[in-house]
Amino acid sequence: MTRPNRPDHIRLTSHPEPDGKARMPIVWGAPTARERGPVIATVSRAGDRNVIGSHGGSYAVYRALAVSSGALDPIRRPDLTNTHPAATIGPFPQWSEPRRIVSLDPWGHLIADSFQAEIATGVDIRPTIAVTKARLDLPELQDAIRAGRLQSDGELVHAKGSVAVVKIAIDPVWYLPGIAERFGCAETTLRRTLFEQTAGMFPELVTRPDLHVFLPPIGGTTVYLFGDVTKLPDHSTKITCRVHDECNGSDVFGSDICTCRPYLIHGIEECARAAQAGGLGIIVYNRKEGRALGEVTKFLVYNARKRQEGGDAAAAYFERTECVAGVQDARFQQLMPDTINWLGLRRIDRFVSMSDMKYDALVAQGIEIVERVPIPDELVPADAHVEIAAKKAAGYYSPEAPKPQDLTSSVGRPLDKY
């Protein structure tokens, strides 16, 4: 087997040069892509790097396996011909407004054009956002058409139930000072904790205080837009939105112990109807399996709940999670509004969610929510009523929006209040 070429210079760690400056510095929050500078996470030309981490999030390890096996040349650069976005997104004022976006690169889908000259000279600059078009084809949508809840129009909703969407994939790009501010801690504390809790996987977190952007090895976000995307900049457009956190067992395989897939399908129906009425529907799908505790932990909690004396009960729902995981919910939601800000939104007319954590995080970022839409009782699976009852009893869910005088931000708020 032929061993692939190796990067020109790889070090276990590095330290900033005295009075040194990155060849292409990043100025977070700048008003244009060129003024902001490119995000360069290449491992093939260390001198160009201006961030911590590497492209691909959690898939970077699979890339390493491909290189190890000789299937991938580590210095190969992607050919970005014809990969440009299939729909125009932005720019919007929020892209350069202070503190609005700290967990993604707002220019990440435009780098092939914005840095065409640098790419042509061999600089390895890669997109962190991709925008394409597709159709969603789900059996429940066929049921919705048969039941009359959804009408086929031949353009957005097709006769057999498929729905046309603009689909956007977003990899995480963290601006560490902004992340620290959102979570109410010092940047040095955040960097040290990230270094320690990844067992030293990213030494530059502590050795390179001059690098403020980090590409974490976590899953990203997918956005599905329903309707005419050119209406995004028009603030009179009626927006229906569901922010959904990943649940593989329910979303993909239809497990009936929770309401995740039913609520997701309900959100998709609401988004399709909003688009047909001249507005826009938005599904934001975040990779945060098992409340960001992971699927192994989630299944352990399922076992503990089912085997406890008296059987599964709402009163012990969160207690069993905390016994296994040490925390009731690790999703938090402080970073979630970044995607909404990236889309240029300042108002959501119909928010398809009862989660106070999501509501509070959005409102704390200055996003108005006019109405909250709960899941209809008839869509809740029989085995999932324990979940709904537990969340309502714990104050985790609210079917109606709190009054303004009752609103408190979710930032820094104890999770046991949800």
Side-chain angles (χ1 to χ4, degrees), residues 175-256:
Y175 178 59
L176 291 172
I179 299 286
E181 184 177 11
R182 288 273 181 96
F183 282 87
C185 65
E187 183 185 349
T188 53
T189 300
L190 173 66
R191 295 171 78 112
R192 170 62 64 176
T193 305
L194 286 168
F195 172 74
E196 292 174 348
Q197 293 301 311
T198 58
M201 185 183 295
F202 301 99
E204 289 172 322
L205 286 165
V206 293
T207 65
R208 294 296 303 271
D210 57 314
L211 298 180
H212 295 287
V213 176
F214 175 43
L215 275 57
I218 60 175
T221 296
T222 309
V223 179
Y224 298 86
L225 300 179
F226 302 70
D228 184 357
V229 177
T230 64
K231 293 181 178 180
L232 269 176
D234 182 355
H235 295 304
S236 67
T237 302
K238 299 294 184 183
I239 302 295
T240 293
C241 176
R242 170 152 181 82
V243 176
H244 189 92
D245 292 330
E246 176 185 27
C247 178
N248 181 65
S250 179
D251 296 342
V252 178
F253 294 99
S255 171
D256 65 352

Side-chain angles (χ1 to χ4, degrees), residues 279-353:
L280 278 172
I282 301 170
I283 299 289
V284 179
Y285 193 91
N286 295 308
R287 296 323 188 283
K288 297 179 180 178
E289 178 64 60
R291 297 195 214 123
L293 299 169
E295 203 165 37
V296 169
T297 295
K298 181 164 75 170
F299 287 8
L300 293 174
V301 172
Y302 285 167
N303 287 345
R305 284 170 48 193
K306 296 286 188 178
R307 291 167 177 163
Q308 64 191 347
E309 186 177 352
D312 198 7
Y317 180 88
F318 287 110
E319 177 188 345
R320 297 312 303 151
T321 302
E322 193 162 2
C323 285
V324 175
V327 65
Q328 295 174 3
D329 193 327
R331 289 174 299 177
F332 305 98
Q333 291 293 348
Q334 286 92 322
L335 305 180
M336 175 269 292
D338 285 19
T339 304
I340 304 301
N341 282 323
W342 179 71
L343 292 169
L345 302 178
R346 300 195 187 274
R347 186 195 69 255
I348 295 173
D349 296 278
R350 305 189 78 234
F351 185 50
V352 188
S353 173

